[in-house]
Amino acid sequence: MAGEWERYLRQQIELGGAEVLLQSEWRRVGESEGGRATTPEPVPLPSAPPPDRPSAWRKGCPPIPGAGLAVESPSHGLDDELVALDTLEKVADRIRRTHCCALCPNRTNAVPGEGNPQAKLFLVGEGPGATEDAQGRPFVGQAGNLLNGILEAIEVPRDTAYITNIVKCRPPQNRKPLPDEIASCIPYLHRQIEIVQPKVILALGSTAAEAMLGVRKSLGELRGKVHTYNGIPLVVTYHPAALLRNPNWKKPTWDDVRIARQLLDR
């Protein structure tokens, strides 16, 4: 239990929480990104919490917000061959061996997605980056490491979730996917969700949110609500790569993710 408590405190450092002391090392949160650090008063690392202590991620957890948009996946766009694919691996194999848009010929590897085929939490990002294109896996770079830490902190280890992207091939120079590229690739995502049947969907970034909800709205307009996709709760938050560029978004992301985590317990 002490190890779990320490991991939680470390996660608070990463996500912009309050001052903490970890193993006699002091660090002022919010000033580690380049600001001048000061030495806080010693705060001892707690001993093992009592057995009845609630999960650490629940401390200060925001309430579940009200309903947002309700969308249904389009009935068109899933051809008979795709509908006939009844496992994630069959869908992945088709993604790897076919070209559905102009992104495909220039890829090193397609990145279909990975994770638990019975996942309760389904995460959707924008598209593969250079590291993902090289390895054929989603979220394996620096942003992926941050995402892994967030998932650990809410007690949903990466291997229990399913992680994929709106488009399965890397856009040049990591640009935003074009509308026709999204339209060509998103049927694979619809089929993956149908197969997994998750309990909650987490859309990472504006591209994923807009594509899944079929709208053109800012991330600020889409956050703070519980949307539904085919009746599945869908929560919108920042993409992990955005958190690396702007640490001020870590705290709101932590709140969004904990809203999604609460929905898993419903």
Side-chain angles (χ1 to χ4, degrees):
M1 294 294 288
E4 293 178 5
W5 189 241
E6 181 175 345
R7 282 195 299 274
Y8 169 71
L9 294 178
R10 290 192 183 279
Q11 189 64 26
Q12 291 307 291
I13 287 176
E14 184 62 35
L15 293 169
E19 290 178 355
V20 295
L21 173 68
L22 296 177
Q23 295 179 344
S24 300
E25 295 180 1
W26 294 318
R27 179 178 181 185
R28 189 174 183 83
V29 176
E31 296 184 348
S32 60
E33 298 291 341
R36 183 174 60 85
T38 60
T39 302
E41 291 297 319
V43 181
L45 181 67
S47 56
D52 60 347
R53 183 187 293 277
S55 297
W57 62 265
R58 293 184 181 276
K59 184 178 181 181
C61 206
I64 295 175
L69 300 172
V71 300
E72 301 289 328
S73 61
S75 57
H76 63 279
L78 298 185
D79 60 45
D80 292 342
E81 182 182 348
L82 183 55
V83 171
L85 301 178
D86 57 0
T87 69
L88 292 171
E89 187 49 48
K90 290 178 181 178
V91 175
D93 180 65
R94 172 165 166 173
I95 292 170
R96 294 187 187 103
R97 62 182 172 80
T98 60
H99 288 181
C100 68
C101 75
L103 294 178
C104 302
N106 299 312
R107 70 193 182 198
T108 302
N109 289 292
V111 186
E114 68 178 27
N116 189 333
Q118 297 179 316
K120 299 302 181 185
L121 181 62
F122 193 105
L123 297 96
V124 183
E126 177 177 297
T131 306
E132 289 79 10
D133 177 65
Q135 297 187 26
R137 299 180 58 212
F139 287 91
V140 291
Q142 191 176 3
N145 291 335
L146 177 55
L147 179 61
N148 294 346
I150 293 172
L151 292 175
E152 288 286 346
I154 60 168
E155 301 173 356
V156 183
R158 178 182 174 119
D159 60 2
T160 68
Y162 193 82
I163 304 175
T164 188
N165 287 296
I166 294 293
V167 297
K168 314 302 189 185
C169 300
R170 181 193 180 197
Q173 289 77 51
N174 293 346
R175 64 160 170 75
K176 182 176 178 178
L178 301 176
D180 62 317
E181 295 164 352
I182 293 174
S184 296
C185 203
I186 203 168
Y188 293 124
L189 175 64
H190 295 319
R191 186 61 185 139
Q192 288 171 317
I193 294 174
E194 288 178 353
I195 292 170
V196 175
Q197 287 294 298
K199 192 169 183 179
V200 178
I201 298 170
L202 186 62
L204 304 170
S206 59
T207 299
E210 290 180 341
M212 294 209 65
L213 295 172
V215 296
R216 293 294 302 273
K217 292 188 176 184
S218 70
L219 201 65
E221 293 177 288
L222 296 175
R223 287 185 57 250
K225 303 178 182 68
V226 178
H227 310 283
T228 57
Y229 167 94
N230 286 358
I232 303 169
L234 186 153
V235 175
V236 175
T237 194
Y238 294 95
H239 193 285
L243 308 186
L244 299 175
R245 298 190 297 269
N246 189 340
N248 293 328
W249 291 334
K250 290 180 179 180
K251 179 58 171 65
T253 298
W254 181 229
D255 287 341
D256 296 337
V257 170
R258 290 188 293 169
I259 289 169
R261 180 63 179 83
Q262 290 178 81
L263 293 169
L264 288 178
D265 292 338
R266 279 189 164 184

